[in-house]
Amino acid sequence: MRSNPAFVIFGATGDLARRMLFPSLYFLDADGLLPADLKIIGAARSALRDSDFRAEIETAVKARSQEPLDTEVWKRFASRLRYCGGDAGRPETYGCLASLLEGSQERIFYLSTSPALYGAIVRGLAAAKLSEGESRIIVEKPIGRDRASCDMINDELSQHFAEKQIFRIDHYLGKEAVQNLIALRFANTLFEPLWDKVSIDHVQITVGETVGVEGRWAYYDEYGATRDMVQNHLLQLLCLVAMEPPADLDPESVRNEKVKVLRSLRPIGGADIARCTVRGQYRRGVTDGAAAPGYTEETGGAASDTETFVALCAQIDNWRWAGVPFYLRTGKRMPARSSEIVIQFRAVPHSIFGENDLMANRLTIRLQPEEEISLLLMNKTPTLAQGASRHGFDLKPLSLNLSLDDAFAKQRRRIAYERLLLEALQNNSTLFVRRDESEAAWTWVDAIIDGWTKQGVAPAPYPAGTWGPSSAFSLTLRNGHTWFE
Ligand code: BG6
């Protein structure tokens, strides 16, 4: 039975809380999706009165909302908000929280802070007996910088919270298009029989961003594209493409299948470092029509060999995928904000169409900027069409397109965090990362980074506004493939 549920955000005055978490909670409230008696408590270092805190949150929610706030909804939302100021390392902070949480059995703590504070926070919560009963914590990436630091953080969390109480966020799993990938694969009969090495030639997963490091230099330079994007978002996408059909959508069914994929990834090391990986770092160039500085010239920048681009050729050693390359690519200051998964099917085994060049079928699942699914098919050009030749069969590749934005035109697209917060409120961890997943992902990524260090692989330069260094093109060409742009 639910009793006085409470949602507590540590780091309540920070960037993520203001840009994503509070607006998401407000939108959920506006749609009637929050429990009527849910309390929302912000915790952070600074001393703030409840009224000042509410004013700050109102500004943050307004900045995110496309429409003026509904007065009634805002009144309801504001009445849920409380603030608790104090240092995460001091017991008084938890005393204040405990008194605000009096009578709440179901408590969700969102740790929107640096992971360096996770230990102190879970210890403080446990000492104040706030980790017991129906409590759960939500933690943000980065969960470590490598497998060893990931283990340390997870060990700290698990001293006071059981695995089923720990919700590790990967905001890509909250994206509609990412969940739609599960629907596309498992709610249609069409694809599954073709979803393997027999019919699929290779897979490309690209997450391109036009932005640079945008004032996050200090964090980013410690991590780089591989730790910041591949270890989590890109590997999660790969898992959803490659996993076996789970028995149901139960958290353990889905996560068991994902972890099997991660454990089947062939380690990249030795000679494969040069063959299967590319690191890049942007130099000056042009993005979004404006001059862009080089990475080391960004605010806070200094000499650095951190990669802002990475391309990998991954292999999944299992029966379904043996021999099918999965190309992963992500970078800052790319020519377009574009995230997509391309499933390249094999060519027909024999062409009966003489001189016509046949293109193999291609399924593109576009996640960003708009959600779209397209399927490239070979078609016959109508005989009377202008420019058609006298041959009976002039063939042309055409695309069958499904735009999710058009299909659900008038509906506001939820931000990824709304879905995830709602799932956490409902105690459903299907869309959250289990400990063994994050461990397996780090183990695979660590081997690559270790290979770069041992072999002295420095990032190759690329001009801002391009798709990475030229070696990224050789990576696919080596297997006779090219990136789709
Ligand atoms: C974050 C990374 O996890 O994801 C950022 O730390 C990156 O560097 C961001 O910009 C991309 O997310 P989205 O939703 O804009 O694709």
Side-chain angles (χ1 to χ4, degrees):
M1 201 188 79
R2 300 183 83 102
S3 55
N4 302 319
F7 198 96
V8 181
I9 300 182
F10 285 93
T13 51
D15 182 60
L16 180 76
R18 301 160 69 99
R19 274 190 313 113
M20 298 288 180
L21 307 182
F22 286 108
S24 295
L25 289 169
Y26 170 84
F27 295 139
L28 290 173
D29 203 2
D31 290 344
L33 294 171
L34 293 186
D37 53 350
L38 181 78
K39 275 189 228 160
I40 301 175
I41 301 169
R45 243 190 141 98
S46 42
L48 281 180
R49 283 182 310 206
D50 280 347
S51 54
D52 295 333
F53 177 60
R54 287 192 188 117
E56 279 202 18
I57 300 306
E58 187 175 5
T59 312
V61 175
K62 277 184 178 157
R64 187 78 211 203
S65 178
Q66 279 152 7
E67 289 159 16
L69 304 193
D70 181 296
T71 324
E72 278 310 301
V73 176
W74 173 254
K75 251 170 71 187
R76 184 170 71 223
F77 187 71
S79 71
R80 299 175 183 276
L81 295 172
R82 294 278 183 287
Y83 182 77
C84 179
D87 192 305
R90 300 178 74 93
E92 304 87 89
T93 308
Y94 302 92
C96 156
L97 262 185
S99 62
L100 287 177
L101 290 171
E102 186 87 47
S104 289
Q105 249 86 69
E106 190 178 6
R107 300 165 291 234
I108 301 162
F109 300 101
Y110 196 119
L111 277 51
S112 174
T113 64
S114 149
L117 292 177
Y118 289 176
I121 295 175
V122 293
R123 276 193 302 277
L125 291 174
K129 303 216 175 310
L130 294 173
S131 56
E132 295 167 4
E134 274 197 70
S135 288
R136 34 199 188 270
I137 48 171
I138 307 178
V139 286
E140 267 290 333
K141 71 179 258 280
I143 303 193
R145 202 179 159 268
D146 51 23
R147 172 67 195 266
S149 46
C150 160
D151 285 349
M152 268 173 53
I153 294 175
N154 281 327
D155 287 347
E156 255 176 348
L157 300 179
S158 68
Q159 277 176 24
H160 303 290
F161 288 85
E163 179 62 24
K164 67 175 181 19
Q165 294 176 285
I166 305 174
F167 286 60
R168 294 177 193 80
I169 281 237
D170 183 314
H171 80 276
Y172 267 56
L173 295 179
K175 290 183 190 275
E176 288 293 339
V178 175
Q179 289 155 40
N180 200 25
L181 178 57
I182 303 179
L184 188 75
R185 281 196 64 195
F186 304 122
N188 297 290
T189 48
L190 201 59
F191 299 113
E192 204 45 32
L194 304 176
W195 212 257
D196 62 12
K197 61 183 182 306
V198 177
S199 307
I200 293 178
D201 181 63
H202 72 276
V203 175
Q204 300 187 7
I205 302 179
T206 296
V207 177
E209 299 183 272
T210 51
V211 291
V213 287
E214 315 292 305
R216 296 162 75 219
W217 211 88
Y219 155 78
Y220 193 86
D221 199 55
E222 270 270 298
Y223 285 79
T226 314
R227 293 183 172 101
D228 184 49
M229 297 292 288
V230 176
Q231 189 273 343
N232 35 74
H233 309 324
L234 275 87
L235 285 183
Q236 284 294 327
L237 296 179
L238 176 139
C239 283
L240 296 180
V241 172
M243 71 182 184
E244 294 301 315
D248 49 35
L249 281 180
D250 178 79
E252 301 324 320
S253 310
V254 173
R255 299 183 308 174
N256 286 345
E257 296 308 335
K258 286 197 290 166
V259 84
K260 281 188 216 158
V261 174
L262 291 166
R263 290 191 182 139
S264 308
L265 279 170
R266 186 183 304 166
I268 301 182
D272 283 344
I273 289 288
R275 246 196 327 260
C276 302
T277 76
V278 173
R279 301 179 79 194
Q281 189 189 77
Y282 61 82
R283 299 286 187 265
R284 278 180 206 185
V286 177
T287 41
D288 289 333
Y295 174 66
T296 54
E297 300 163 327
E298 296 263 10
T299 314
S304 163
D305 70 350
T306 294
E307 78 282 353
T308 59
F309 172 92
V310 58
L312 304 170
C313 173
Q315 296 280 347
I316 301 173
D317 286 335
N318 64 17
W319 275 49
R320 189 187 279 261
W321 295 114
V324 178
F326 278 69
Y327 298 107
L328 308 181
R329 171 175 70 156
T330 183
K332 302 273 186 204
R333 296 262 189 245
M334 304 273 99
R337 175 167 190 250
S338 163
S339 303
E340 60 184 29
I341 299 169
V342 181
I343 314 290
Q344 176 64 61
F345 289 93
R346 293 195 187 279
V348 293
H350 165 70
S351 171
I352 59 169
F353 297 103
E355 289 165 8
N356 281 283
D357 276 337
L358 299 190
M359 272 176 101
N361 301 136
R362 191 159 76 219
L363 174 70
T364 304
I365 302 155
R366 180 165 263 262
L367 317 177
Q368 286 168 173
E370 60 289 311
E371 293 164 45
E372 238 171 53
I373 296 171
S374 65
L375 179 62
L376 187 101
L377 299 170
M378 288 305 297
N379 285 268
K380 181 182 174 298
T381 310
T383 314
L384 295 177
Q386 211 179 19
S389 76
R390 266 178 281 135
H391 300 299
F393 277 98
D394 260 338
L395 299 186
K396 194 175 176 192
L398 292 175
S399 197
L400 209 58
N401 284 351
L402 171 62
S403 157
L404 280 281
D405 285 350
D406 291 348
F408 301 99
K410 293 204 177 68
Q411 294 174 34
R412 183 181 72 82
R413 314 313 297 221
R414 288 194 186 282
I415 44 184
Y417 280 90
E418 287 177 59
R419 177 89 247 147
L420 296 175
L421 298 188
L422 192 56
E423 295 295 322
L425 277 162
Q426 296 176 115
N427 202 8
N428 181 3
S429 51
T430 301
L431 296 178
F432 294 82
V433 179
R434 204 168 60 186
R435 176 171 183 163
D436 51 359
E437 284 181 75
S438 75
E439 291 172 350
W442 273 123
T443 301
W444 190 71
V445 157
D446 276 0
I448 296 169
I449 296 173
D450 193 48
W452 287 337
T453 311
K454 289 201 176 114
Q455 298 180 27
V457 181
Y462 64 93
T466 65
W467 286 107
S470 55
S471 40
F473 297 90
S474 325
L475 178 91
T476 49
L477 270 183
R478 214 168 278 133
N479 300 327
H481 302 139
T482 44
W483 293 106
F484 299 113
E485 256 122 47

